[in-house]
Amino acid sequence: IFVSKNEDNPTTRYRIQPLLRALTKNNVRIQRLDSDGGLKLRIRLLIAARSADVIIIQRKLFDSLFLNLLSKFCDKIIFDFDDAIFTKSNGHAAPSRMQRFSRTVNIAWQVWAGNQYLRNVATQQLSQNKADAKAIASIKYVPTAIETEKYYQQPKQSTFSMIWIGSQSTSKYLYENTDMLEALGKRFDNLKLIIVSDFTFELTHLNVECHAWSEQAELEQAAKADVGIAPMSDDDWSRGKCALKVLQYMAAGLPVVSSNTGANASVVVHGQTGFVADKIEDWLTAIAVLQSDPNAAVQMGAAGLKRIRHEFNSNLWVEQQRSWLSEIIPAIDRA
């Protein structure tokens, strides 16, 4: 049983769907329940759990009473998460969320954490009577991974274009970095920002081209762009992000310029696959290098794509997940 958000949700698309498709090919019977189902979800999940070998819960934090009841019907619960769901979205502490998160970590058979920061927090939440080597080993690092075969490249336009892919929930990173974006527009005449999202965004000094989000729009616009950008803030919520947009840019063969924080800073290899920036001047310097030296930009994009294929390839991580699941369902390993 998979418990996750709808199929258009990025987390479902990147962390759930590839594994779900692979298991279906292995003749594993799958049931997916919408995590926004409220009371109806709880009833359906309890009924389905009676005949389930494993339940994979994506991000949803149930209360302790329900978790205890669910574990009576199926004790092989996997909790997968790719955000700092134990904090508020502004990075401030959220004691009630942390309490639910802690209970989930302690009742789960395995935890799949989207980056090392999240894995460390999950490990810290293990209760004293469970914090043995076996329990710690059950908390796995499972990065958000990319199906690289979907991405392609096209000849670049005369205008040097930066792309930002995101949603209303991450739009704050653009608004928080308006001064930096305006500074780029003032410094470079032949510069454009392409946004693929569910909102519109405007600047005074930088040309902004907005495209309504769809998976096809992501692929098409990334293929046309020259560089992917990922400005971010530095707090617990941002540190929980799993660098999805950076991975998308790299899969499209683009060099990346990102704020020097969170998982972004560990995915981008400074000077090899792009640049990390601490202040506005760093952003100006990075864009100047990439715009003035197309060959260097191409080489960085190629290095980024190679890194994705070797370390963040969806097929590789699905195989790892299948291996873990084979401990519960041996037929998976033989398929």
Side-chain angles (χ1 to χ4, degrees):
I1 301 172
F2 286 87
V3 180
S4 67
K5 289 186 176 292
N6 64 69
E7 294 182 358
D8 282 339
N9 183 273
T11 298
T12 302
R13 286 165 51 218
Y14 287 92
R15 296 185 66 85
I16 296 298
Q17 289 292 346
L19 177 60
L20 188 153
R21 289 193 295 268
L23 294 177
T24 300
K25 290 179 181 178
N26 290 167
N27 296 317
V28 176
R29 186 164 59 90
I30 301 293
Q31 183 174 0
R32 195 187 72 80
L33 301 177
D34 191 329
S35 60
D36 292 328
L39 178 60
K40 183 178 179 180
L41 164 66
R42 286 168 167 77
I43 294 172
R44 292 182 65 194
L45 183 52
L46 287 176
I47 293 172
R50 295 172 181 270
S51 60
D53 294 291
V54 60
I55 300 172
I56 299 177
I57 300 173
Q58 217 291 317
R59 294 170 55 105
K60 181 75 172 179
L61 293 176
F62 292 106
D63 59 86
S64 296
L65 179 63
F66 180 81
L67 274 178
N68 285 329
L69 183 58
L70 181 63
S71 66
K72 301 297 183 184
F73 296 130
C74 178
D75 63 352
K76 295 299 186 291
I77 296 173
I78 295 174
F79 183 63
D80 177 85
F81 71 115
D82 63 340
D83 261 327
I85 54 176
F86 42 80
T87 71
K88 297 179 181 178
S89 59
N90 60 9
H92 294 168
S96 62
R97 293 184 190 179
M98 182 61 86
Q99 186 178 37
R100 287 192 177 197
F101 175 74
S102 179
R103 179 56 183 161
T104 302
V105 167
N106 279 280
I107 209 167
W109 175 72
Q110 278 189 2
V111 176
W112 295 349
N115 67 35
Q116 293 294 355
Y117 166 75
L118 296 176
R119 183 174 186 268
N120 291 339
V121 174
T123 302
Q124 291 166 5
Q125 293 306 309
L126 289 172
S127 62
Q128 288 186 352
N129 62 350
K130 191 180 178 182
D132 55 20
K134 183 178 179 180
I136 292 172
S138 73
I139 301 180
K140 312 291 189 180
Y141 163 61
V142 182
T144 297
I146 301 291
E147 296 173 283
T148 56
E149 61 274 11
K150 291 183 177 181
Y151 290 82
Y152 56 93
Q153 299 177 38
Q154 290 184 346
K156 305 307 179 184
Q157 310 297 310
S158 57
T159 301
F160 190 84
S161 59
M162 309 180 297
I163 186 170
W164 183 90
I165 299 173
S167 65
Q168 184 70 48
S169 65
T170 54
S171 62
K172 65 178 184 178
Y173 298 129
L174 290 178
Y175 288 103
E176 289 173 355
N177 286 275
T178 297
D179 289 348
M180 177 272 290
L181 295 170
E182 293 285 23
L184 289 173
K186 292 177 183 178
R187 175 74 63 90
F188 305 101
D189 295 329
N190 192 33
L191 185 64
K192 175 173 66 175
L193 173 60
I194 299 171
I195 292 180
V196 181
S197 189
D198 55 353
F199 67 95
T200 58
F201 183 73
E202 295 182 357
L203 292 166
T204 301
H205 301 286
L206 179 60
N207 179 25
V208 181
E209 179 181 297
C210 295
H211 296 266
W213 180 88
S214 70
E215 186 174 9
Q216 189 58 36
E218 285 185 347
L219 297 173
E220 289 178 355
Q221 297 307 318
K224 297 176 183 177
D226 294 283
V227 57
I229 65 168
M232 286 184 69
S233 53
D234 188 14
D235 55 42
D236 283 348
W237 178 259
S238 297
R239 284 187 280 275
K241 293 295 180 183
C242 294
L244 173 58
K245 58 173 57 65
V246 168
L247 298 172
Q248 289 176 294
Y249 304 151
M250 292 166 69
L254 300 179
V256 178
V257 184
S258 170
S259 296
N260 188 18
T261 184
N264 288 13
S266 62
V267 173
V268 179
V269 182
H270 185 73
Q272 295 182 31
T273 67
F275 300 98
V276 292
D278 290 303
K279 52 186 183 296
I280 290 178
E281 192 57 41
D282 296 336
W283 284 88
L284 295 171
T285 300
I287 296 301
V289 170
L290 295 171
Q291 189 179 43
S292 63
D293 192 346
N295 288 332
V298 169
Q299 290 174 4
M300 286 185 176
L305 177 55
K306 182 178 180 180
R307 180 164 163 76
I308 293 295
R309 287 173 173 165
H310 284 82
E311 298 183 44
F312 299 95
N313 186 317
S314 181
N315 292 331
L316 297 176
W317 284 99
V318 165
E319 283 305 304
Q320 176 63 79
Q321 291 168 307
R322 287 175 71 252
S323 175
W324 292 327
L325 289 170
S326 69
E327 298 176 32
I328 308 170
I329 312 174
I332 291 176
D333 195 42
R334 298 195 299 269

